[in-house]
């Protein structure tokens, strides 16, 4: 191809890009699609982390509501020695537990002292709504305290009988945690890349629909296709604008999510430092290759669809595709294989998970993630150009 022909095609491509860009920025649905999710996603991240911190973290002033404290003065004294503030249970304590106004109630039966003096197991009831996640932290703390008290009493009774407590503990289990604090934090922070991946698909969706099925319904596609511009260049121009909206949405989601996390009390969840600048840049480099693929796939489906509503239906279903690997990895963790890094969406999940754990992804794995996305994007874009060559594409009813 001569230099003049290349220059002419480049000029035609720029003309298509300018036309599609003007159309996209004037479309309120496209702007809302690209900007609303980057605003809502980070807000959800901040609310989620703040809610988790309030649910599972201690507030520094532990209290325990007890009913029947007079039946176990020794236990009450021991609990106070552990720094707990004991509160007398109200008359409607069971109702308050059921309604969620009270997380945990320790109920000491009237026969506690008699059973204790007789050397029989003395029962203590731990009353809570086990289906309410909010009570999990308080329930766990109360159970551990009572178990510690029970173990101490058992050791004292054995020593009083001349038996060393180690006799009844033939096996000592010592847990050795090889995970770093960053690897523990990755389990919580992994939700941020999922939002960024979703933004790659949501940001350009309305642009892709309007540039394909929308133009068919308006009848403007006929005037566009009558121009002496190669159909592949028309598809490429629409793709460039769709990719731009997708990238803007993904980058906004990533940046605002990091800002939202910095405002959340991550330290109370054991997350130290959150995401640093280097990790944010690495996540962007690993996830953003999905944007060209998402845009090309959406244009292909939108061109195939016969109406705006049909395109919306199909592209809404397409949004579930990048979510599948994340759900599978959370439900059934997999051991990564090299071929998995060539599968879009799955590759990004594996690479980002490694990056969050502080492990630098191998160059081959990262290259496969990029190449897999670009090859499928090129294939979808080629298919869009081929469909634009069909005469039937002009008529939305066919």
């Amino acid at each position: 191809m001569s230099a003049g022909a290349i220059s002419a095609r480049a000029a035609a491509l720029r003309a298509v890009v300018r036309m599609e860009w003007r159309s996209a920025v004037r479309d309120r649905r496209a702007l809302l699609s690209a900007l609303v999710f980057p605003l809502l996603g980070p807000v959800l991240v901040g609310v989620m982390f703040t809610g988790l911190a309030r649910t599972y973290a201690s507030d520094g002033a532990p209290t325990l509501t007890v009913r029947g404290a007079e039946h176990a003065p020794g236990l009450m004294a021991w609990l106070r020695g552990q720094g707990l503030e004991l509160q007398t249970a109200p008359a409607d304590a069971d109702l308050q537990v059921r309604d969620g106004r009270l997380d945990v109630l320790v109920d000491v039966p009237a026969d506690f002292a008699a059973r204790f003096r007789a050397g029989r197991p003395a029962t203590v009831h731990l009353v809570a709504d086990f289906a309410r996640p909010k009570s999990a932290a308080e329930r766990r703390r109360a159970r551990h305290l009572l178990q510690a008290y029970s173990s101490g009493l058992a050791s004292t009774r054995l020593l009083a009988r001349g038996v060393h407590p180690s006799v009844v503990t033939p096996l000592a289990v010592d847990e050795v945690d090889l995970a770093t604090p960053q690897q523990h934090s990755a389990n919580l922070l992994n939700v941020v890349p999922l939002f960024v991946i979703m933004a790659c698909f949501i940001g350009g969706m309305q642009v892709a629909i309007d540039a394909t099925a929308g133009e068919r319904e308006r009848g403007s596609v006929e005037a566009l296709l009558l121009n002496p511009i190669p159909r592949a260049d028309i598809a490429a121009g629409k793709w460039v604008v769709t990719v731009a909206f997708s990238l803007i949405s993904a980058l906004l989601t990533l940046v605002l999510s990091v800002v939202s996390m910095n405002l959340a009390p991550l330290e109370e969840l054991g997350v130290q430092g959150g995401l640093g600048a280097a990790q944010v840049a690495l996540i962007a480099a690993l996830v953003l290759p999905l944007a060209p693929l998402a845009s090309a796939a959406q244009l292909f489906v939108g061109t195939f669809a016969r109406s705006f509503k049909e395109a919306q239906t199909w592209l809404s279903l397409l949004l579930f595709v990048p979510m599948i690997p994340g759900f599978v990895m959370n439900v059934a963790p997999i051991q990564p294989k090299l071929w998995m890094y060539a599968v879009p969406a799955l590759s990004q999940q594996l690479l980002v998970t490694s990056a969050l754990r502080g492990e630098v992804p191998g160059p081959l794995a990262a290259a496969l993630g990029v190449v897999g996305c670009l090859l499928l994007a090129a294939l979808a874009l080629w298919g869009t150009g081929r469909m634009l060559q069909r005469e039937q594409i002009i008529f939305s009813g066919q």
Side-chain angles (χ1 to χ4, degrees), residues 48-58 103 132-138 140 268-269:
M48 181 186 67
F49 282 126
T50 302
L52 286 174
R54 291 179 178 176
T55 300
Y56 295 103
S58 174
D103 291 330
R132 193 182 299 274
K134 183 176 179 293
S135 67
E138 295 295 328
R140 183 171 58 250
E268 297 184 12
L269 295 173

Side-chain angles (χ1 to χ4, degrees), residues 176 312 379:
V176 180
Q312 280 186 320
L379 181 61

Side-chain angles (χ1 to χ4, degrees), residues 65-85:
T65 304
V66 182
R67 181 167 58 195
E70 65 277 7
H71 305 311
L75 173 59
M76 298 303 111
W78 185 87
L79 290 174
R80 291 190 184 94
Q82 303 304 308
L84 270 74
E85 179 183 346

Side-chain angles (χ1 to χ4, degrees), residues 224-315:
L224 177 62
L225 295 180
L226 287 176
N227 286 281
I229 302 175
R231 304 298 168 83
D233 291 351
I234 294 177
K238 296 177 181 292
W239 175 73
V240 169
V241 175
T242 308
V243 171
F245 271 73
S246 179
L247 288 174
I248 291 172
S249 179
L251 287 173
L252 281 175
T253 301
L254 178 58
V255 172
L256 294 179
S257 294
V258 173
V259 173
S260 178
M261 285 195 324
N262 289 336
L263 298 177
L266 295 180
E267 294 78 8
E268 297 184 12
L269 295 173
V271 178
Q272 302 296 329
L275 293 175
Q279 279 187 303
V280 172
L282 182 58
I283 291 173
L286 295 174
V287 173
L288 293 185
L290 268 179
L293 172 59
S295 302
Q298 289 169 342
L299 285 174
F300 178 79
V301 175
T303 306
F304 178 80
R306 298 182 179 183
S307 66
F308 195 96
K309 288 185 177 180
E310 182 182 352
Q312 280 186 320
T313 301
W314 285 110
L315 291 186

Side-chain angles (χ1 to χ4, degrees), residues 197-222:
I197 290 174
M198 293 300 301
C200 289
F201 283 78
I202 294 176
M205 184 174 69
Q206 289 298 329
V207 177
I209 294 175
D210 187 71
T212 52
E215 288 189 353
R216 293 181 69 177
E217 285 195 349
R218 293 192 300 268
S220 58
V221 67
E222 180 178 1

